[in-house]
Amino acid sequence: PRRRTSVASMDPLAPSITFYDKETGKGRTTYLGSLIPEALFTPTPGLWFTNQGEELIEKLQKHYDENPYPSVAALTALAVQYGAPDYTKIESFFLNMRIKHQETFQ
């Protein structure tokens, strides 16, 4: 188990909104997710993977790091391996990670 630290780190899957001041051109990012380092994503009723525990999310992150664009067959295999109702639950994780990755590097 991880220890709690006093430093808040942002959840890599948390949605964020950036507000820009038209006069100065400066932006301020507001995160809508969890600031708890142990929680990669707060449990959300519509997202199956967020309700399965941190261990599963860490495993899915490793798969994402290896291949961010898996085939439907690979997603189906992961769904069977991790007990997801269908491959779309696993696909939503990969979609969220790709969106977050794009937001981070734009």
Side-chain angles (χ1 to χ4, degrees):
R2 289 192 222 166
R3 292 177 31 217
R4 286 190 179 257
T5 60
S6 60
V7 177
S9 62
M10 197 56 228
D11 172 352
L13 296 175
S16 62
I17 299 173
T18 303
F19 298 97
Y20 289 98
D21 182 347
K22 290 181 182 179
E23 294 176 12
T24 64
K26 294 184 179 180
R28 175 179 51 88
T29 302
T30 302
Y31 292 97
L32 306 174
S34 173
L35 286 175
I36 303 170
E38 291 82 13
L40 287 176
F41 208 102
T42 56
T44 306
L47 296 173
W48 174 84
F49 65 87
T50 64
N51 295 299
Q52 303 307 309
E54 205 172 316
E55 185 178 325
L56 175 69
I57 292 177
E58 288 174 2
K59 289 177 183 178
L60 289 174
Q61 254 187 312
K62 287 179 186 176
H63 289 290
Y64 175 82
D65 291 340
E66 292 171 10
N67 180 13
Y69 295 93
S71 65
V72 172
L75 292 170
T76 303
L78 289 173
V80 169
Q81 180 180 352
Y82 296 122
D86 57 43
Y87 82 91
T88 61
K89 306 302 182 191
I90 304 296
E91 183 181 39
S92 68
F93 173 83
F94 282 84
L95 289 171
N96 282 312
M97 286 297 290
R98 289 194 296 262
I99 290 168
K100 195 62 184 169
H101 180 80
Q102 288 173 357
E103 288 176 358
T104 302
F105 293 103
Q106 282 185 358

